Coordinates of all heavy atoms in Angstrom, one line a residue:
M1 N -27.5 -7.3 -34.3 CA -26.2 -6.7 -34.8 C -25.9 -5.4 -34.2 O -24.7 -5.2 -33.8 CB -26.4 -6.6 -36.3 CG -25.1 -6.2 -37.0 SD -24.1 -7.6 -37.2 CE -22.9 -7.0 -38.2
K2 N -26.9 -4.5 -34.0 CA -26.6 -3.2 -33.4 C -26.2 -3.3 -32.0 O -25.4 -2.6 -31.5 CB -27.9 -2.3 -33.6 CG -27.7 -0.9 -33.2 CD -28.9 -0.1 -33.5 CE -28.6 1.3 -33.2 NZ -29.8 2.2 -33.5
R3 N -26.8 -4.3 -31.3 CA -26.5 -4.5 -29.8 C -25.0 -4.9 -29.7 O -24.4 -4.6 -28.7 CB -27.4 -5.5 -29.3 CG -27.3 -5.7 -27.8 CD -28.5 -6.6 -27.3 NE -28.5 -6.8 -25.9 CZ -29.1 -6.1 -25.0 NH1 -29.7 -5.0 -25.4 NH2 -29.0 -6.4 -23.7
N4 N -24.5 -5.7 -30.6 CA -23.2 -6.2 -30.6 C -22.2 -5.1 -30.7 O -21.1 -5.0 -30.1 CB -23.0 -7.3 -31.6 CG -21.6 -8.0 -31.5 OD1 -21.0 -7.9 -30.4 ND2 -21.2 -8.7 -32.5
K5 N -22.5 -4.1 -31.6 CA -21.6 -2.9 -31.8 C -21.6 -2.1 -30.6 O -20.5 -1.5 -30.3 CB -22.1 -2.1 -33.0 CG -21.9 -2.7 -34.4 CD -22.3 -1.8 -35.5 CE -22.1 -2.5 -36.8 NZ -22.4 -1.6 -37.9
V6 N -22.7 -1.9 -29.9 CA -22.7 -1.1 -28.7 C -21.9 -1.8 -27.6 O -21.1 -1.1 -26.9 CB -24.2 -0.9 -28.2 CG1 -24.2 -0.3 -26.8 CG2 -25.0 -0.1 -29.2
S7 N -21.9 -3.1 -27.6 CA -21.1 -3.8 -26.6 C -19.6 -3.7 -26.9 O -18.8 -3.5 -26.0 CB -21.5 -5.3 -26.6 OG -20.7 -6.0 -25.8
V8 N -19.2 -3.7 -28.1 CA -17.8 -3.5 -28.5 C -17.4 -2.1 -28.2 O -16.3 -1.9 -27.7 CB -17.6 -3.9 -30.0 CG1 -16.2 -3.5 -30.5 CG2 -17.9 -5.4 -30.2
V9 N -18.2 -1.1 -28.5 CA -17.9 0.3 -28.2 C -17.7 0.5 -26.7 O -16.8 1.1 -26.3 CB -18.9 1.2 -28.9 CG1 -18.7 2.6 -28.4 CG2 -18.9 1.1 -30.4
W10 N -18.6 -0.1 -26.0 CA -18.6 0.0 -24.5 C -17.3 -0.6 -23.9 O -16.6 0.0 -23.1 CB -19.8 -0.6 -23.9 CG -19.9 -0.6 -22.4 CD1 -19.7 -1.6 -21.6 CD2 -20.0 0.6 -21.6 NE1 -19.8 -1.2 -20.3 CE2 -20.0 0.2 -20.2 CE3 -20.2 1.9 -21.8 CZ2 -20.1 1.0 -19.2 CZ3 -20.4 2.8 -20.8 CH2 -20.3 2.3 -19.5
K11 N -17.0 -1.8 -24.4 CA -15.8 -2.5 -23.9 C -14.5 -1.7 -24.3 O -13.6 -1.6 -23.5 CB -15.7 -3.9 -24.4 CG -16.7 -4.8 -23.8 CD -16.6 -6.2 -24.5 CE -17.7 -7.1 -23.9 NZ -17.7 -8.4 -24.5
T12 N -14.5 -1.1 -25.5 CA -13.4 -0.3 -25.9 C -13.2 0.9 -25.1 O -12.1 1.3 -24.7 CB -13.5 0.0 -27.4 OG1 -13.7 -1.2 -28.2 CG2 -12.3 0.8 -27.9
A13 N -14.3 1.6 -24.8 CA -14.3 2.8 -24.0 C -13.8 2.5 -22.6 O -13.0 3.3 -22.1 CB -15.7 3.5 -24.0
V14 N -14.3 1.5 -22.0 CA -13.8 1.1 -20.7 C -12.3 0.8 -20.7 O -11.6 1.2 -19.8 CB -14.7 -0.1 -20.1 CG1 -14.1 -0.6 -18.8 CG2 -16.1 0.4 -19.9
T15 N -11.9 0.0 -21.6 CA -10.5 -0.3 -21.7 C -9.6 0.9 -21.9 O -8.6 1.0 -21.2 CB -10.2 -1.3 -22.9 OG1 -11.1 -2.5 -22.7 CG2 -8.8 -1.7 -23.0
L16 N -10.0 1.8 -22.8 CA -9.2 3.0 -22.9 C -9.2 3.9 -21.7 O -8.2 4.5 -21.3 CB -9.8 3.8 -24.1 CG -9.5 3.2 -25.5 CD1 -10.2 4.0 -26.6 CD2 -8.0 3.2 -25.8
A17 N -10.3 4.0 -21.0 CA -10.4 4.7 -19.8 C -9.5 4.1 -18.7 O -8.8 4.9 -18.0 CB -11.8 4.8 -19.2
M18 N -9.5 2.8 -18.6 CA -8.6 2.2 -17.6 C -7.1 2.4 -18.0 O -6.3 2.6 -17.1 CB -8.9 0.7 -17.5 CG -10.3 0.5 -16.8 SD -10.7 -1.3 -16.6 CE -9.5 -1.7 -15.4
A19 N -6.8 2.3 -19.3 CA -5.4 2.6 -19.7 C -5.0 4.0 -19.4 O -3.9 4.3 -19.0 CB -5.3 2.3 -21.2
A20 N -5.9 5.0 -19.6 CA -5.6 6.4 -19.4 C -5.4 6.6 -17.9 O -4.5 7.3 -17.5 CB -6.8 7.2 -19.9
L21 N -6.2 5.9 -17.1 CA -6.0 6.0 -15.6 C -4.7 5.5 -15.2 O -4.0 6.1 -14.4 CB -7.2 5.3 -14.9 CG -7.1 5.3 -13.4 CD1 -7.3 6.7 -12.8 CD2 -8.1 4.3 -12.8
L22 N -4.3 4.4 -15.7 CA -3.0 3.7 -15.4 C -1.9 4.6 -15.8 O -0.9 4.8 -15.0 CB -2.9 2.4 -16.1 CG -1.7 1.6 -15.7 CD1 -1.6 1.2 -14.3 CD2 -1.7 0.3 -16.6
V23 N -2.0 5.2 -17.0 CA -0.9 6.1 -17.4 C -0.8 7.4 -16.6 O 0.2 7.9 -16.3 CB -1.1 6.4 -18.9 CG1 -0.2 7.6 -19.4 CG2 -0.9 5.2 -19.8
S24 N -2.0 7.9 -16.2 CA -2.0 9.2 -15.4 C -1.4 9.0 -14.0 O -0.9 10.0 -13.5 CB -3.4 9.7 -15.4 OG -4.2 8.9 -14.5
V25 N -1.5 7.9 -13.4 CA -1.0 7.7 -12.1 C 0.3 6.9 -12.0 O 0.8 6.6 -10.9 CB -2.0 7.0 -11.2 CG1 -3.3 7.9 -11.0 CG2 -2.4 5.6 -11.6
W26 N 0.9 6.6 -13.2 CA 2.1 5.8 -13.2 C 3.3 6.6 -12.6 O 3.5 7.7 -13.1 CB 2.4 5.3 -14.6 CG 3.5 4.3 -14.7 CD1 4.8 4.5 -14.9 CD2 3.3 2.9 -14.5 NE1 5.4 3.3 -14.9 CE2 4.5 2.3 -14.6 CE3 2.2 2.1 -14.2 CZ2 4.7 0.9 -14.5 CZ3 2.3 0.7 -14.1 CH2 3.6 0.1 -14.2
P27 N 4.1 6.0 -11.7 CA 5.2 6.8 -11.1 C 6.4 6.7 -12.1 O 6.4 6.1 -13.1 CB 5.5 6.0 -9.8 CG 5.1 4.6 -10.2 CD 3.9 4.7 -11.1
H28 N 7.5 7.4 -11.7 CA 8.7 7.4 -12.5 C 9.5 6.1 -12.2 O 10.6 6.1 -11.6 CB 9.5 8.6 -12.1 CG 8.8 9.9 -12.4 ND1 8.6 10.3 -13.7 CD2 8.2 10.8 -11.6 CE1 7.9 11.5 -13.6 NE2 7.7 11.8 -12.4
A29 N 9.0 5.0 -12.7 CA 9.7 3.7 -12.6 C 10.1 3.3 -14.0 O 9.3 3.4 -14.9 CB 8.8 2.7 -11.9
R30 N 11.3 2.8 -14.1 CA 11.8 2.4 -15.5 C 11.2 1.0 -15.9 O 11.2 0.7 -17.1 CB 13.3 2.4 -15.5 CG 13.9 3.8 -15.3 CD 15.4 3.7 -15.5 NE 15.9 2.7 -14.6 CZ 16.7 2.9 -13.6 NH1 16.9 4.1 -13.2 NH2 17.2 1.9 -12.9
S31 N 10.8 0.2 -14.9 CA 10.4 -1.2 -15.2 C 9.4 -1.6 -14.2 O 9.2 -1.0 -13.1 CB 11.6 -2.1 -15.3 OG 12.1 -2.2 -14.0
L32 N 8.7 -2.7 -14.4 CA 7.8 -3.3 -13.4 C 8.6 -3.7 -12.2 O 8.1 -3.7 -11.1 CB 7.1 -4.5 -14.0 CG 6.1 -4.2 -15.1 CD1 5.4 -5.4 -15.6 CD2 5.0 -3.2 -14.6
Y33 N 9.8 -4.2 -12.4 CA 10.7 -4.5 -11.2 C 10.9 -3.3 -10.3 O 10.9 -3.4 -9.1 CB 12.0 -5.1 -11.7 CG 12.9 -5.4 -10.5 CD1 12.7 -6.6 -9.8 CD2 14.0 -4.6 -10.2 CE1 13.5 -6.9 -8.7 CE2 14.8 -4.9 -9.1 CZ 14.6 -6.1 -8.4 OH 15.4 -6.4 -7.3
D34 N 11.2 -2.2 -10.9 CA 11.4 -0.9 -10.1 C 10.1 -0.6 -9.3 O 10.2 0.0 -8.2 CB 11.8 0.2 -11.0 CG 13.2 0.1 -11.5 OD1 13.9 -0.7 -11.0 OD2 13.5 0.8 -12.5
L35 N 8.9 -0.8 -9.9 CA 7.7 -0.5 -9.3 C 7.3 -1.5 -8.2 O 6.9 -1.1 -7.1 CB 6.6 -0.4 -10.4 CG 5.2 -0.1 -9.8 CD1 5.2 1.4 -9.3 CD2 4.2 -0.2 -10.9
T36 N 7.5 -2.8 -8.5 CA 7.0 -3.8 -7.5 C 8.0 -4.5 -6.7 O 7.8 -5.0 -5.7 CB 6.2 -4.9 -8.3 OG1 7.0 -5.6 -9.2 CG2 5.0 -4.3 -9.1
G37 N 9.3 -4.5 -7.2 CA 10.3 -5.3 -6.6 C 10.3 -6.8 -6.8 O 11.0 -7.5 -6.2
E38 N 9.3 -7.2 -7.6 CA 9.2 -8.6 -7.9 C 10.0 -9.0 -9.2 O 10.1 -8.2 -10.1 CB 7.7 -9.0 -8.2 CG 6.8 -8.7 -7.0 CD 7.1 -9.8 -5.9 OE1 7.7 -10.8 -6.1 OE2 6.6 -9.5 -4.7
E39 N 10.5 -10.2 -9.2 CA 11.3 -10.6 -10.4 C 10.5 -11.4 -11.4 O 10.7 -11.4 -12.6 CB 12.5 -11.5 -9.9 CG 13.5 -10.7 -9.1 CD 14.7 -11.5 -8.7 OE1 14.7 -12.7 -8.9 OE2 15.6 -10.9 -8.1
N40 N 9.5 -12.2 -10.9 CA 8.6 -13.0 -11.8 C 7.6 -12.1 -12.4 O 7.0 -11.2 -11.8 CB 8.0 -14.1 -10.9 CG 7.2 -15.1 -11.8 OD1 7.2 -15.0 -13.0 ND2 6.6 -16.0 -11.1
L41 N 7.3 -12.3 -13.8 CA 6.3 -11.5 -14.5 C 4.9 -11.6 -13.9 O 4.3 -10.6 -13.7 CB 6.3 -11.9 -15.9 CG 5.3 -11.1 -16.8 CD1 5.7 -9.6 -16.8 CD2 5.3 -11.6 -18.2
A42 N 4.5 -12.8 -13.5 CA 3.2 -12.9 -12.9 C 3.1 -12.1 -11.6 O 2.1 -11.5 -11.3 CB 2.8 -14.4 -12.7
A43 N 4.1 -12.2 -10.8 CA 4.1 -11.4 -9.5 C 4.2 -9.9 -9.8 O 3.6 -9.1 -9.1 CB 5.3 -11.9 -8.7
Q44 N 4.9 -9.5 -10.8 CA 4.9 -8.1 -11.2 C 3.5 -7.6 -11.6 O 3.1 -6.5 -11.2 CB 5.9 -7.9 -12.3 CG 7.4 -8.0 -11.9 CD 8.3 -7.9 -13.1 OE1 7.9 -7.9 -14.3 NE2 9.6 -7.8 -12.8
L45 N 2.8 -8.4 -12.4 CA 1.5 -8.0 -12.9 C 0.5 -7.9 -11.7 O -0.3 -7.0 -11.6 CB 1.0 -8.9 -14.0 CG 1.8 -8.9 -15.3 CD1 1.2 -9.9 -16.2 CD2 1.7 -7.5 -15.9
R46 N 0.6 -8.9 -10.8 CA -0.2 -8.9 -9.6 C 0.2 -7.6 -8.7 O -0.7 -7.0 -8.2 CB 0.0 -10.1 -8.8 CG -0.9 -10.4 -7.7 CD -0.9 -11.8 -7.1 NE 0.5 -12.3 -6.9 CZ 1.1 -13.3 -7.6 NH1 0.4 -13.9 -8.6 NH2 2.3 -13.7 -7.3
G47 N 1.4 -7.3 -8.7 CA 1.9 -6.1 -7.9 C 1.3 -4.8 -8.5 O 1.0 -3.9 -7.8
V48 N 1.3 -4.8 -9.9 CA 0.7 -3.6 -10.5 C -0.8 -3.4 -10.2 O -1.3 -2.3 -9.9 CB 0.9 -3.7 -12.1 CG1 0.1 -2.6 -12.8 CG2 2.4 -3.5 -12.4
G49 N -1.5 -4.6 -10.1 CA -2.9 -4.5 -9.7 C -3.1 -4.0 -8.3 O -3.9 -3.2 -8.1
H50 N -2.2 -4.4 -7.4 CA -2.3 -3.9 -6.0 C -1.9 -2.4 -6.0 O -2.5 -1.7 -5.2 CB -1.3 -4.7 -5.1 CG -1.8 -6.1 -4.8 ND1 -2.9 -6.4 -4.1 CD2 -1.3 -7.3 -5.2 CE1 -3.0 -7.7 -4.0 NE2 -2.1 -8.3 -4.7
W51 N -0.9 -2.1 -6.8 CA -0.5 -0.7 -6.8 C -1.6 0.2 -7.3 O -1.8 1.3 -6.8 CB 0.8 -0.5 -7.6 CG 1.2 0.9 -7.8 CD1 1.9 1.6 -6.9 CD2 0.9 1.8 -8.8 NE1 2.1 2.9 -7.3 CE2 1.5 3.0 -8.5 CE3 0.2 1.6 -10.0 CZ2 1.4 4.1 -9.4 CZ3 0.1 2.7 -10.9 CH2 0.7 3.9 -10.6
V52 N -2.3 -0.2 -8.4 CA -3.4 0.6 -9.0 C -4.5 0.7 -8.0 O -5.1 1.8 -7.8 CB -3.9 0.0 -10.3 CG1 -5.2 0.6 -10.7 CG2 -2.8 0.1 -11.4
N53 N -4.8 -0.3 -7.2 CA -5.8 -0.3 -6.2 C -5.5 0.8 -5.2 O -6.3 1.5 -4.7 CB -6.0 -1.7 -5.6 CG -7.1 -1.7 -4.5 OD1 -8.1 -1.0 -4.7 ND2 -6.9 -2.5 -3.5
T54 N -4.2 0.8 -4.8 CA -3.8 1.8 -3.8 C -3.7 3.2 -4.3 O -4.1 4.2 -3.6 CB -2.3 1.4 -3.3 OG1 -2.4 0.1 -2.7 CG2 -1.9 2.4 -2.2
A55 N -3.4 3.3 -5.6 CA -3.3 4.7 -6.2 C -4.6 5.3 -6.4 O -4.7 6.6 -6.3 CB -2.6 4.6 -7.6
V56 N -5.7 4.6 -6.7 CA -7.0 5.2 -6.9 C -7.9 5.3 -5.7 O -8.9 6.0 -5.7 CB -7.8 4.4 -8.0 CG1 -7.0 4.5 -9.3 CG2 -8.1 3.0 -7.7
R57 N -7.5 4.6 -4.6 CA -8.3 4.6 -3.4 C -7.9 5.9 -2.6 O -6.7 6.2 -2.5 CB -7.9 3.4 -2.5 CG -8.7 3.3 -1.3 CD -8.4 2.0 -0.5 NE -7.2 1.3 -1.1 CZ -6.5 0.5 -0.4 NH1 -6.7 0.3 0.8 NH2 -5.5 -0.1 -1.0
P58 N -8.8 6.6 -2.0 CA -8.5 7.8 -1.2 C -7.6 7.4 0.0 O -7.9 6.5 0.7 CB -9.8 8.3 -0.8 CG -10.9 7.3 -1.1 CD -10.3 6.3 -2.0
Q59 N -6.5 8.1 0.2 CA -5.6 7.9 1.3 C -6.1 8.6 2.5 O -6.8 9.6 2.4 CB -4.2 8.3 0.9 CG -3.7 7.6 -0.3 CD -3.6 6.1 -0.1 OE1 -3.0 5.7 0.9 NE2 -4.1 5.3 -1.0
P60 N -5.7 8.1 3.7 CA -6.2 8.7 4.9 C -5.6 10.1 5.1 O -4.5 10.3 4.7 CB -5.7 7.7 6.0 CG -4.6 6.9 5.4 CD -4.9 6.9 3.9
S61 N -6.3 10.9 5.7 CA -5.9 12.3 6.0 C -5.3 12.3 7.4 O -6.0 12.1 8.4 CB -7.0 13.3 6.0 OG -6.6 14.5 6.4
L62 N -4.0 12.4 7.5 CA -3.3 12.4 8.8 C -3.2 13.7 9.4 O -2.8 14.7 8.7 CB -1.9 11.8 8.6 CG -1.8 10.4 8.0 CD1 -0.4 10.0 7.8 CD2 -2.5 9.4 8.8
A63 N -3.4 13.9 10.7 CA -3.3 15.1 11.4 C -1.9 15.2 12.0 O -1.7 14.7 13.2 CB -4.4 15.2 12.4
T64 N -1.0 15.7 11.3 CA 0.4 15.7 11.8 C 0.6 16.7 12.9 O 1.6 16.6 13.7 CB 1.4 16.0 10.7 OG1 1.0 17.3 10.1 CG2 1.4 15.0 9.6
D65 N -0.3 17.6 13.1 CA -0.2 18.6 14.1 C -1.1 18.3 15.3 O -1.3 19.2 16.2 CB -0.5 20.0 13.6 CG -1.9 20.1 13.0 OD1 -2.5 19.1 12.7 OD2 -2.4 21.2 12.8
A66 N -1.6 17.1 15.4 CA -2.5 16.8 16.5 C -1.8 16.6 17.8 O -0.6 16.1 17.8 CB -3.3 15.5 16.1
A67 N -2.4 16.9 18.9 CA -1.8 16.7 20.2 C -1.7 15.2 20.5 O -2.6 14.4 20.2 CB -2.6 17.4 21.2
I68 N -0.7 14.8 21.2 CA -0.5 13.4 21.6 C -0.9 13.3 23.0 O -0.4 14.0 23.9 CB 1.0 12.9 21.4 CG1 1.4 13.1 19.9 CG2 1.1 11.5 21.9 CD1 2.8 12.8 19.7
E69 N -1.9 12.4 23.3 CA -2.4 12.2 24.6 C -1.5 11.2 25.4 O -0.8 10.4 24.9 CB -3.8 11.7 24.6 CG -4.8 12.6 23.9 CD -6.1 12.1 23.8 OE1 -6.4 11.0 24.4 OE2 -7.0 12.7 23.1
N70 N -1.6 11.3 26.8 CA -0.9 10.4 27.7 C 0.6 10.3 27.4 O 1.2 9.2 27.4 CB -1.5 9.0 27.6 CG -3.0 9.1 27.9 OD1 -3.4 9.8 28.8 ND2 -3.8 8.2 27.3
T71 N 1.3 11.4 27.3 CA 2.7 11.4 27.1 C 3.5 11.1 28.4 O 4.7 10.8 28.3 CB 3.2 12.7 26.5 OG1 2.8 13.8 27.4 CG2 2.7 13.0 25.1
A72 N 2.9 11.2 29.5 CA 3.5 11.0 30.8 C 3.6 9.5 31.1 O 4.3 9.1 32.0 CB 2.9 11.8 31.9
V73 N 2.8 8.7 30.4 CA 2.8 7.3 30.7 C 3.9 6.6 30.0 O 4.2 6.8 28.8 CB 1.4 6.6 30.2 CG1 1.4 5.2 30.4 CG2 0.3 7.3 30.9
S74 N 4.7 5.8 30.8 CA 5.8 5.1 30.2 C 5.4 3.9 29.4 O 4.6 3.1 29.9 CB 6.7 4.6 31.3 OG 7.7 3.7 30.8
P75 N 5.8 3.7 28.2 CA 5.4 2.6 27.3 C 5.9 1.2 27.9 O 5.3 0.2 27.6 CB 6.0 2.9 26.0 CG 7.1 3.8 26.2 CD 6.7 4.6 27.4
S76 N 7.0 1.2 28.6 CA 7.5 -0.1 29.1 C 6.6 -0.6 30.3 O 6.7 -1.8 30.6 CB 8.9 0.1 29.6 OG 9.0 0.9 30.7
A77 N 5.8 0.2 30.9 CA 4.9 -0.2 32.0 C 3.6 -0.8 31.5 O 2.8 -1.2 32.2 CB 4.7 0.9 32.9
S78 N 3.5 -0.9 30.2 CA 2.2 -1.3 29.6 C 2.1 -2.9 29.7 O 1.0 -3.4 29.7 CB 2.1 -0.9 28.2 OG 3.1 -1.5 27.4
T79 N 3.2 -3.6 29.8 CA 3.2 -5.0 29.9 C 4.1 -5.4 31.1 O 5.2 -4.9 31.2 CB 3.8 -5.6 28.6 OG1 3.1 -5.1 27.5 CG2 3.7 -7.1 28.6
P80 N 3.6 -6.3 31.9 CA 4.4 -6.7 33.1 C 5.8 -7.3 32.6 O 6.8 -7.1 33.3 CB 3.6 -7.7 33.8 CG 2.2 -7.4 33.4 CD 2.3 -6.8 32.0
F81 N 5.7 -8.0 31.5 CA 7.0 -8.7 31.1 C 8.0 -7.6 30.7 O 9.2 -7.7 31.1 CB 6.7 -9.5 29.8 CG 7.9 -10.0 29.2 CD1 8.7 -11.1 29.7 CD2 8.4 -9.5 28.0 CE1 9.8 -11.5 29.1 CE2 9.6 -9.9 27.4 CZ 10.3 -11.0 28.0
C82 N 7.6 -6.6 30.0 CA 8.6 -5.5 29.6 C 9.0 -4.8 30.9 O 10.2 -4.4 31.0 CB 7.9 -4.6 28.6 SG 7.6 -5.3 27.0
S83 N 8.1 -4.5 31.7 CA 8.5 -3.8 33.0 C 9.5 -4.6 33.8 O 10.4 -4.0 34.3 CB 7.2 -3.6 33.8 OG 7.5 -2.9 35.0
K84 N 9.3 -5.9 33.9 CA 10.3 -6.7 34.7 C 11.6 -6.8 33.9 O 12.7 -6.8 34.5 CB 9.7 -8.1 34.9 CG 8.5 -8.1 35.9 CD 8.0 -9.5 36.0 CE 6.8 -9.5 36.9 NZ 6.2 -10.8 37.0
K85 N 11.5 -7.0 32.6 CA 12.7 -7.2 31.8 C 13.6 -6.0 31.8 O 14.8 -6.1 31.9 CB 12.3 -7.6 30.4 CG 13.5 -8.0 29.6 CD 13.1 -8.5 28.2 CE 14.3 -8.8 27.4 NZ 13.9 -9.3 26.0
W86 N 13.1 -4.8 31.6 CA 13.9 -3.6 31.3 C 14.1 -2.8 32.5 O 15.0 -2.0 32.5 CB 13.3 -2.8 30.2 CG 13.2 -3.5 28.9 CD1 12.1 -4.0 28.3 CD2 14.3 -4.0 28.1 NE1 12.4 -4.7 27.2 CE2 13.7 -4.7 27.0 CE3 15.6 -3.9 28.2 CZ2 14.5 -5.2 26.0 CZ3 16.4 -4.4 27.2 CH2 15.9 -5.1 26.1
N87 N 13.3 -2.9 33.5 CA 13.5 -2.1 34.7 C 14.0 -2.9 35.9 O 13.5 -2.9 37.0 CB 12.1 -1.4 35.1 CG 11.7 -0.5 34.1 OD1 12.5 0.2 33.4 ND2 10.3 -0.3 34.0
R88 N 15.1 -3.6 35.7 CA 15.7 -4.4 36.7 C 16.6 -3.5 37.6 O 17.6 -3.0 37.1 CB 16.5 -5.5 36.1 CG 15.7 -6.5 35.4 CD 16.5 -7.6 34.8 NE 17.3 -7.1 33.7 CZ 18.2 -7.8 33.0 NH1 18.5 -9.0 33.3 NH2 18.9 -7.2 32.0
P89 N 16.3 -3.4 38.8 CA 17.2 -2.6 39.7 C 18.6 -3.2 39.9 O 19.5 -2.4 40.1 CB 16.4 -2.5 41.0 CG 15.5 -3.6 41.0 CD 15.2 -4.0 39.6
N90 N 18.8 -4.5 39.9 CA 20.1 -5.1 40.2 C 20.8 -5.5 38.9 O 21.6 -6.4 38.9 CB 19.9 -6.3 41.1 CG 19.3 -5.9 42.4 OD1 19.6 -4.8 42.9 ND2 18.5 -6.7 43.0
A91 N 20.5 -4.9 37.8 CA 21.1 -5.3 36.5 C 22.6 -5.1 36.5 O 23.3 -5.8 35.9 CB 20.4 -4.6 35.4
S92 N 23.1 -4.0 37.2 CA 24.5 -3.7 37.1 C 25.3 -4.7 38.0 O 26.5 -4.8 37.8 CB 24.8 -2.3 37.6 OG 24.3 -2.1 38.9
K93 N 24.7 -5.4 38.9 CA 25.4 -6.3 39.8 C 25.6 -7.7 39.2 O 26.4 -8.5 39.6 CB 24.6 -6.5 41.1 CG 24.6 -5.2 42.0 CD 23.8 -5.5 43.2 CE 23.7 -4.2 44.0 NZ 23.0 -4.5 45.3
A94 N 24.9 -8.0 38.1 CA 24.9 -9.3 37.5 C 26.2 -9.6 36.7 O 27.2 -9.4 36.7 CB 23.8 -9.5 36.5

């Protein structure tokens, strides 16, 4: 009997902690549609699950002031198809 009470208390504590986490990171959205963009309720609930996963996972640290390497290399020369397609010397004669 005592073990059953501990289990209920544990489940209640975990549920309350998850609800508190969800409330603490909830954005300023008026509805689930505003948050997920989905119209179906099942898809909205699935979208909330994905959103919570993204909200609690550490996001990458971007170095916005990092130097960009190889700026002198033309991106159109990376593929022969693009190079042939966009660098046509006789394009104005066609």
Side-chain angles (χ1 to χ4, degrees):
M1 185 81 170
K2 187 174 185 178
R3 187 171 180 88
N4 191 15
K5 287 184 181 181
V6 171
S7 176
V8 170
V9 171
W10 177 252
K11 289 178 183 178
T12 305
V14 169
T15 303
L16 289 175
M18 290 182 69
L21 176 66
L22 183 63
V23 168
S24 70
V25 296
W26 193 263
H28 299 288
R30 294 185 309 251
S31 66
L32 292 178
Y33 177 78
D34 289 343
L35 180 66
T36 63
E38 298 287 344
E39 294 179 355
N40 187 0
L41 180 62
Q44 288 175 349
L45 295 176
R46 194 169 41 249
V48 168
H50 289 290
W51 177 81
V52 168
N53 183 31
T54 303
V56 298
R57 183 177 10 155
Q59 298 300 309
S61 174
L62 303 178
T64 57
D65 58 344
I68 300 173
E69 298 177 8
N70 302 324
T71 56
V73 177
S74 173
S76 65
S78 62
T79 308
F81 172 76
C82 292
S83 180
K84 289 177 185 176
K85 183 176 179 180
W86 299 111
N87 295 331
R88 294 181 289 178
N90 297 329
S92 61
K93 295 180 182 179

